[in-house]
Amino acid sequence: MAKLVYDDTGRLLFTKEMKEEYTILMPQMLPVHFGMFQRLLELEGYKVDMLTSNHRGIIDEGLKYVHNDTCYPALLVIGQFLDALGSGKYDLDHTALYLIHISEPTS
């Protein structure tokens, strides 16, 4: 079993040992781009599942846990993650969530 390693801020780091044991859940925000990310990670030996659920339940699930002023794409991603984690398909002790933060350039 992989040893959990944290950085100085308390953030859990994804280690090489975890690569063997964990499934990474990836939302389908931009199908072409995230499909490339998925394939690149798989080529490096990671187990990745692209979340493609798009039913009304993911919106309702997201709204239960985030403010209703949250942007719609974030609400969908949160709903997809919660739906997947609650499905029973994944071992919650060996699942990671893949998020990309894109910010606007600062001057």
Side-chain angles (χ1 to χ4, degrees), residues 35-100:
M36 287 189 295
F37 288 134
Q38 177 185 13
R39 186 68 183 131
L40 289 170
L41 288 168
E42 289 171 344
L43 288 171
E44 290 298 319
Y46 294 91
K47 181 179 176 191
V48 181
D49 278 357
M50 177 80 72
L51 303 177
T52 59
S53 55
N54 61 1
H55 53 82
R56 173 64 199 195
I58 64 170
I59 298 166
D60 296 335
E61 193 70 22
L63 283 171
K64 286 195 310 193
Y65 296 97
V66 298
H67 193 275
N68 64 355
D69 284 341
T70 301
C71 74
Y72 193 68
L75 178 70
L76 293 176
V77 168
I78 293 165
Q80 277 186 326
F81 281 146
L82 293 172
D83 182 61
L85 294 171
S87 71
K89 181 178 176 183
Y90 302 99
D91 175 358
L92 300 182
D93 291 328
H94 293 93
T95 303
L97 306 178
Y98 183 88
L99 287 174
I100 294 179

Side-chain angles (χ1 to χ4, degrees), residues 6-24:
Y6 298 87
D7 69 7
D8 294 336
T9 65
R11 184 178 62 149
L12 178 62
L13 302 175
F14 198 93
T15 64
K16 288 181 183 181
E17 293 79 22
M18 294 168 80
K19 182 178 181 178
E20 303 296 323
E21 301 173 8
Y22 278 65
T23 299
I24 301 172

